[in-house]
Amino acid sequence: MFPDHSFAPLQLRGRQLLPIVQGGMGVGISAHRLAGSVAREGALGTIASIDLRHHHADLVEQCRADPRHDTLAQANLVALGREIEAARKLADGHGMIAVNVMKAVNAHADYVRAACEHGADAIVMGAGLPLDLPDLTQGVDIALIPILSDARGVSLVLKKWMKKGRLPDAVVLEHPAHAGGHLGVTDLADMDNERFGFERIFEELDGVYATLGISRSDVPLIVGGGINSHEAVRRWLQAGANGVQVGTPFAVTEEGDAHPNFKRVLADAKPEDIVEFISVTGLPARAVKTPWLDRYLRNESRIRVKIGQVKNACPTGLECLSVCGLRDGIEKFGHFCIDTRLAAALRGDVSNGLFFRGREALPFGNAIRSVRDLLELLLTGSARPAVAHRAAFALS
């Protein structure tokens, strides 16, 4: 039984959960081990759907032997199915297992279908407006949770979905000034815009909900970005949020699916090591300035001039993104293979990987603790003394 805490449960599709949502982190950072461990404690654990084949040696070998796009795409669908089933087994009937799907990914509809077929409890979708999500899941009993950043986006999704006869089961509000990975703005200079303030969004959505004839119990609000302490959890739950989403602190837990080197990079990063830049998706992103990213940023202007408008073949053959700065020759976007760099980070290749991270300090400083310890600290303000654990590591 999870320790007592003072917060109301997060109600999702008839289920009562701890009011902590584990954010989805790819490539492979939040796979079955992390998501299943979070769900086992009674919370919402999330598998990031993109390119999970890296966790499966047989699929990696299959793709190496036959590197055609169709082979890679099918391998990733197989991997997603395996990860969902393994997470469900680990959760043992507790909590919920969600699959995070990026709208900006070419295969987003395939990932949604795979999530439904393999028994995921929820789909969380960001990196674009998920206006087609109700259509893709019609007739399936699954929670649908869009990730948005301001009241205007929430209002648009609510109105479009209601015309399809469906409401979101919750909405994640992600603040671009604090979250890790890809950020919900189109311009770096816009990250601190006051329209992203959670209190302002709550106030604006009160009017939207009233106009549409719905209530907060119909569509709970989950806030994410910068939630790194019990005090932050208490502040936002008392301010009106129904739950909070946490990403980076879960990535560095013992159960996190990435290599121990990945966790050390995130845990040891100082504030000056965390930088924002434009990704190949055209969206701003936040990561740790490791050797590869440092080299890239120092040469970014020269790279734009040299290859900014040159179209390139996809280096991996995966064609993961619907729009890619490197492949499509879009000068204002980033110019590198994001799948290659994120996969390197997953393997713990500190010199060549891209290590996404949120801005704030971590709850346990640079210590690596368990999922249960993290949840206990966030919800109660205290945690058990640290004990020695063998580092969890999922890759072969």
Side-chain angles (χ1 to χ4, degrees):
M1 181 68 67
F2 197 83
D4 289 337
H5 59 88
S6 60
F7 304 116
L10 173 63
Q11 308 264 3
L12 275 182
R13 211 163 183 80
R15 306 275 289 276
Q16 290 195 346
L17 306 172
L18 297 177
I20 305 284
V21 172
Q22 171 243 313
M25 297 166 283
V27 166
I29 305 305
S30 59
H32 82 269
R33 192 193 308 274
L34 177 57
S37 298
V38 172
R40 186 176 57 198
E41 300 294 346
L44 179 69
T46 308
I47 297 169
S49 60
I50 183 70
D51 212 2
L52 286 163
R53 63 195 165 102
H54 295 289
H55 281 300
H56 301 269
D58 63 323
L59 297 178
V60 171
E61 182 55 37
Q62 177 183 323
C63 293
R64 186 177 293 117
D66 180 10
R68 291 176 300 172
H69 171 267
D70 289 351
T71 306
L72 275 63
Q74 183 59 33
N76 282 323
L77 292 175
V78 171
L80 176 56
R82 290 180 184 178
E83 293 294 325
I84 295 170
E85 290 165 10
R88 285 167 55 86
K89 183 177 181 179
L90 185 57
D92 195 26
H94 301 286
M96 293 176 73
I97 300 294
V99 172
N100 177 279
V101 180
M102 291 176 61
K103 174 68 173 176
V105 170
N106 262 328
H108 75 271
D110 294 330
Y111 289 142
V112 168
R113 282 189 284 269
C116 294
E117 290 169 5
H118 290 277
D121 299 305
I123 294 171
V124 182
M125 184 175 281
L129 288 172
L131 300 181
D132 61 346
L133 191 52
D135 304 309
L136 295 173
T137 57
Q138 194 166 19
V140 181
D141 181 15
I142 191 167
L144 304 181
I145 306 172
I147 301 177
L148 302 158
S149 291
D150 59 19
R152 181 181 178 184
V154 176
S155 177
L156 176 61
V157 167
L158 289 173
K159 291 173 182 176
K160 293 288 188 181
W161 283 29
M162 288 178 76
K163 289 180 180 178
K164 301 173 187 286
R166 180 69 195 256
L167 282 172
D169 292 275
V171 171
V172 173
L173 301 171
E174 194 169 84
H175 200 304
H178 304 283
H182 288 108
L183 311 173
V185 289
T186 56
D187 188 339
L188 281 170
D190 199 30
M191 285 192 302
D192 291 305
N193 191 297
E194 60 184 16
R195 77 178 188 276
F196 301 126
F198 295 143
E199 294 104 328
R200 173 171 169 171
I201 297 175
F202 294 159
E203 183 177 344
E204 291 177 349
L205 287 181
D206 283 343
V208 172
Y209 278 36
T211 299
L212 296 176
I214 60 177
S215 69
R216 185 68 71 81
S217 61
D218 297 314
V219 186
L221 298 177
I222 301 163
V223 299
I227 311 297
N228 67 339
S229 66
H230 173 67
E231 291 71 26
V233 171
R234 178 172 297 281
R235 175 188 176 188
W236 293 118
L237 292 182
Q238 289 182 343
N242 303 97
V244 298
Q245 178 178 274
V246 177
T248 303
F250 278 115
V252 302
T253 56
E254 292 166 352
E255 296 91 339
D257 292 273
H259 192 282
N261 289 351
F262 177 94
K263 301 173 188 181
R264 283 267 56 92
V265 168
L266 269 60
D268 291 341
K270 300 178 177 62
E272 60 268 24
D273 298 327
I274 302 167
V275 295
E276 293 86 32
F277 61 100
I278 300 299
S279 170
V280 296
T281 61
L283 296 171
R286 181 171 291 116
V288 181
K289 191 165 65 173
T290 45
W292 172 79
L293 185 54
D294 183 49
R295 291 194 305 273
Y296 174 77
L297 294 177
R298 282 191 281 108
N299 292 285
E300 186 177 26
S301 297
R302 187 165 59 88
I303 291 170
R304 288 185 191 279
V305 171
K306 187 175 180 180
I307 66 167
Q309 295 182 339
V310 178
K311 293 187 178 182
N312 295 273
C314 175
T316 66
L318 182 59
E319 304 283 353
C320 60
L321 296 173
S322 55
V323 180
C324 171
L326 178 65
R327 182 194 65 208
D328 301 331
I330 305 173
E331 187 171 2
K332 65 181 181 178
F333 286 19
H335 294 88
F336 56 89
C337 176
I338 192 166
D339 185 69
T340 299
R341 297 300 170 184
L342 292 176
L346 175 66
R347 296 192 305 269
D349 184 347
V350 177
S351 296
N352 295 297
L354 173 58
F355 293 75
F356 283 149
R357 188 197 191 283
R359 178 185 285 177
E360 266 67 33
L362 295 173
F364 290 108
N366 67 352
I368 307 299
R369 299 287 294 269
S370 71
V371 161
R372 185 178 178 86
D373 289 348
L374 175 60
L375 286 169
E376 189 173 343
L377 179 65
L378 293 175
L379 289 171
T380 71
S382 61
R384 297 168 295 174
V387 296
H389 288 281
R390 179 175 62 84
F393 175 38
L395 291 180
S396 300

